[in-house]
Amino acid sequence: QAINEAKMQISNAPTNGYMLTAQSGNTGGLTWAEAGGGAYNLLSTTTISSAVGTVDITSNIDSTYRDYMFILSDIHTSADDVTLNVRVFSSNGSPDGTANTYNWAGVGYRSDNAGLNTADAAHDYGQISLWGQGADANEAGSVILYMFNPSGTTHNKSFMSTSMAQTIDGRTAVGTNGFLYRNGTVAVTGLRFAPNAGTIQSGVIKLYGIS
């Protein structure tokens, strides 16, 4: 007899233009997914349209890909002079805010020729943007964040980010930052994003698996 979609065990509803992919952890081992655009495979899109204190991304982070990338675009905050911070979810299902678990270092530059070097050897969160951005309606920041081997259980987890923000005085600020999550025996299963003050008013966060 003819095989059609209704007779197959597929874990989700179809979308025109999507392709059928093998996903061993899903019902029937088959899932409709957007066609990949090369090495970067879009896994999720989170759109922020109202004020939130934190944004949790806790799906699609597993051993399917060794490395992952987040793109945070047009992140607009309610408070002035803020940076974006991260806490990781591990196998216990909660964001880890343990003291002295994270450290970071970074360097940045601003359009008025001011430079910035920052570092913290022991904190309860990781930092992914380096320069406080403004909260005016036309001001926002964007970040590209790489997460390396989150499912590994041998080494401390490494993260690297490049950020751009419009500061409270309307200047352009860019920076590169790296941070460590210093609990190498625990797999990372998600991230919590939060500004260090106020709320996130709007923005989009996309998660990609890197082939």
Side-chain angles (χ1 to χ4, degrees):
Q1 296 184 1
I3 297 175
N4 57 33
E5 185 182 325
K7 295 177 181 177
M8 300 174 71
Q9 260 196 317
I10 303 175
S11 65
N12 60 344
T15 300
N16 288 340
Y18 276 34
M19 59 190 297
L20 199 58
T21 62
Q23 297 290 340
S24 60
N26 293 347
T27 301
L30 296 171
T31 298
W32 293 110
E34 190 173 11
Y40 296 94
N41 304 286
L42 180 62
L43 303 177
S44 69
T45 300
T46 301
T47 300
I48 305 157
S49 56
S50 59
V52 292
T54 60
V55 178
D56 295 343
I57 310 294
T58 57
S59 298
N60 301 302
I61 298 173
D62 52 33
S63 60
T64 302
Y65 300 94
R66 190 183 190 280
D67 304 311
Y68 291 80
M69 180 182 72
F70 293 86
I71 295 181
L72 296 80
S73 60
D74 290 337
I75 302 298
H76 177 63
T77 58
S78 65
D80 270 326
D81 198 22
V82 302
T83 58
L84 286 175
N85 301 324
V86 167
R87 284 178 173 157
V88 309
F89 285 82
S90 59
S91 53
N92 65 11
S94 300
D96 191 347
T98 306
N100 304 327
T101 304
Y102 305 81
N103 61 32
W104 70 75
V107 60
Y109 220 72
R110 202 169 63 180
S111 57
D112 62 352
N113 293 321
L116 171 71
N117 293 296
T118 183
D120 196 309
H123 221 299
D124 61 355
Y125 59 80
Q127 189 181 71
I128 62 171
S129 68
L130 295 186
W131 220 305
Q133 69 184 53
D136 289 350
N138 65 336
E139 295 175 333
S142 297
V143 181
I144 297 174
L145 171 66
Y146 290 96
M147 177 170 59
F148 302 103
N149 194 21
S151 295
T153 56
T154 301
H155 303 108
N156 290 327
K157 305 305 181 295
S158 299
F159 299 78
M160 185 180 72
S161 63
T162 299
S163 62
M164 192 289 299
Q166 190 170 352
T167 63
I168 56 176
D169 54 5
R171 301 185 188 277
T172 299
V174 296
T176 298
N177 194 43
F179 79 88
L180 286 175
Y181 173 59
R182 299 186 298 182
N183 189 345
T185 61
V186 177
V188 171
T189 59
L191 295 184
R192 168 169 288 181
F193 297 96
N196 67 336
T199 59
I200 300 175
Q201 302 290 97
S202 60
V204 175
I205 301 176
K206 289 182 177 288
L207 169 63
Y208 295 84
I210 303 176
S211 298

